[in-house]
Amino acid sequence: MSTSTLAAKPLSKAAQPFWRDLRLGDHLFAAFVLLVAGIVFNRYHAAMDGYEQAILAGATLALIALGWFWKSVRVFFPVAGLLALGGIALYGGDLARGQSAFWLKYALASQSAAMWMCVLFFLATLVYWGGLLRRSATLEAIASGLTWAAAGAAVVWFFVRWYEGYLIGPDIGHVPVSNLYEVFILFCLITSLMYLYYEERFATRRMGAFVLLVVSAAVGFILWYTFDRQAHEIQPLIPALQSWWMKIHVPANFVGYGSFALAAMLGVAQLLVAKGWLASRLPAYETIGEVMYRAIAVGFLFFTIATILGAMWAADAWGGYWSWDPKETWALIVWLNYAAWLHVRLVKGWRGNVLAWWAVIGLLVTTFAFLGVNMFLAGLHSYGGL
């Protein structure tokens, strides 16, 4: 095929509206998502304010777009959603059934789903490494399947825990993104799904051994935080978090955090390839760099959105968009760090090890902004400490 033919293809696709490329499967998926959203709205709209109804509408459209863009989620989200609905139905409005109903106790209650998620992510990490070191496509496929299953368990945890909060009391229930235990599970879900997308997009499973390491580190924190601090117990929201802003600010933030963590682990992989270590087993040096760039670009976009949403939340709660609180200051440092990373790559044309090291160090900066500020620096956001 000639270069001119290759160049003409994108132009012909861009010349017609995107909906002309939609197939029957695309329309059926959209209809299914709209049907489920309609059922949710019909059942729960009385308990939802206008902002929550707008979030439901936005999430519905976003899921449809994601399903059109990434075909694999057409199976993943319906299956995980049905399992979550099964867990909710098994409760029958009685929280005590979580300790007596077999499937709730051992699989579908939120804490059971969280423990399954932890086990599956640990197993996926080990199997990814086995597949990488033995060059086994079978082990890599099994590891990918385990990662999908772990992400599915996280989705079940999310919706069942949300419901369990309302079973405790209408004033207790809230979207589970309010404390470190909840957001670390959200981090595992987002990071693993982002990795699975890139795994499919670049047709290689050999980056999973590195990316799943950071997910397993988060899982280790979740287990420690659960058994040492009993953090899995559902608590009422503190006044500072009783805002609908939390429901959009926190998830957007964690798309950013997940992207930056993924990029940092790929930076480690790229540096090893540059030294000749595992070079014959990992994807090409340039491929790893390209995935790292795309992850940081997505993360920067969502972190920017989250920062803007955080400023609007601050104005609503404290009367000002910016107060140079330590959390705000370090969020700005993180934003400037990745803005500079993208600038030198896109404008200056930098490539190679310097950007890989920058991505690795960037994760340390981001981790301090997320955890260290709350632990060591007093401010308006000090309620998020360990």
Side-chain angles (χ1 to χ4, degrees):
M1 186 178 289
S2 67
T3 304
S4 60
T5 305
L6 287 171
K9 278 193 169 184
L11 292 175
S12 62
K13 282 191 174 183
Q16 57 182 346
F18 76 92
W19 58 81
R20 295 285 184 88
D21 291 328
L22 298 179
R23 300 292 182 262
L24 177 61
D26 298 308
H27 295 299
L28 290 176
F29 175 75
F32 173 78
V33 174
L34 289 170
L35 175 64
V36 172
I39 293 172
V40 170
F41 179 79
N42 183 64
R43 182 167 182 179
Y44 299 110
H45 73 276
M48 301 167 69
D49 58 29
Y51 296 117
E52 291 167 329
Q53 293 174 13
I55 292 171
L56 174 62
T60 301
L61 295 176
L63 183 55
I64 290 172
L66 182 61
W68 287 349
F69 178 70
W70 183 17
K71 301 296 190 289
S72 296
V73 300
R74 297 183 185 185
V75 176
F76 172 75
F77 279 114
V79 170
L82 287 173
L83 287 172
L85 288 174
I88 290 170
L90 285 172
Y91 270 112
D94 182 7
L95 187 64
R97 285 182 55 79
Q99 296 300 316
S100 59
F102 177 86
W103 286 107
L104 283 175
K105 186 174 182 179
Y106 295 105
L108 297 177
S110 67
Q111 186 57 13
S112 301
M115 291 301 101
W116 276 111
M117 181 205 75
C118 294
V119 170
L120 289 167
F121 273 134
F122 274 141
L123 287 175
T125 305
L126 293 174
V127 179
Y128 266 123
W129 274 100
L132 177 67
L133 297 176
R134 298 184 60 182
R135 294 189 177 91
S136 171
T138 300
L139 287 178
E140 290 170 356
I142 292 171
S144 184
L146 289 169
T147 306
W148 278 110
V155 172
V156 172
W157 166 88
F158 182 87
F159 288 106
V160 174
R161 183 177 176 88
W162 196 347
Y163 179 73
E164 288 171 348
Y166 281 97
L167 287 182
I168 296 174
D171 58 334
I172 303 296
H174 58 271
V175 60
V177 294
S178 65
N179 57 40
L180 286 178
Y181 168 79
E182 293 173 346
V183 297
F184 262 84
I185 294 182
L186 182 66
F187 170 84
C188 292
L189 173 61
I190 290 173
T191 308
S192 60
L193 285 180
M194 288 192 65
Y195 164 71
L196 288 167
Y197 168 73
Y198 289 121
E199 177 181 273
E200 185 176 313
R201 173 67 178 80
F202 287 85
T204 177
R205 295 188 172 108
R206 296 192 171 182
M207 298 178 290
F210 285 88
V211 175
L212 266 290
L213 284 176
V214 75
V215 175
S216 288
V219 164
F221 176 85
I222 291 167
L223 291 174
W224 168 77
Y225 208 41
T226 297
F227 295 110
D228 188 70
R229 302 296 179 89
Q230 299 299 305
H232 63 286
E233 297 178 357
I234 299 174
Q235 302 291 338
L237 285 176
I238 63 174
L241 297 178
Q242 292 175 4
S243 170
W244 68 273
W245 288 103
M246 180 187 73
K247 301 167 188 176
I248 52 178
H249 168 70
V250 175
N253 239 338
F254 275 84
V255 174
Y257 290 150
S259 302
F260 300 151
L262 187 154
M265 299 313 296
L266 293 179
V268 173
Q270 191 177 37
L271 291 169
L272 291 179
V273 171
K275 288 185 172 291
W277 300 341
L278 299 176
S280 63
R281 291 176 169 84
L282 285 167
Y285 183 88
E286 294 77 13
T287 300
I288 299 174
E290 180 65 18
V291 179
M292 182 171 60
Y293 155 65
R294 295 191 183 199
I296 287 179
V298 171
F300 181 74
L301 171 63
F302 277 89
F303 193 79
T304 300
I305 293 171
T307 302
I308 294 171
L309 292 172
M312 296 172 72
W313 186 2
D316 188 35
W318 300 319
Y321 290 98
W322 199 266
S323 60
W324 295 104
D325 175 78
K327 192 77 167 181
E328 296 170 348
T329 303
W330 275 90
L332 179 61
I333 291 171
V334 171
W335 187 89
L336 290 172
N337 173 67
Y338 289 105
W341 193 101
L342 290 169
H343 173 78
V344 298
R345 190 188 193 278
L346 295 173
V347 178
K348 301 297 184 181
W350 288 19
R351 298 290 189 277
N353 289 358
V354 63
L355 293 185
W357 277 113
W358 195 334
V360 174
I361 295 170
L363 180 60
L364 300 179
V365 175
T366 304
T367 301
F368 183 81
F370 171 50
L371 283 177
V373 170
N374 290 11
M375 294 169 61
F376 303 115
L377 301 176
L380 294 171
H381 295 80
S382 297
Y383 49 80
L386 292 173

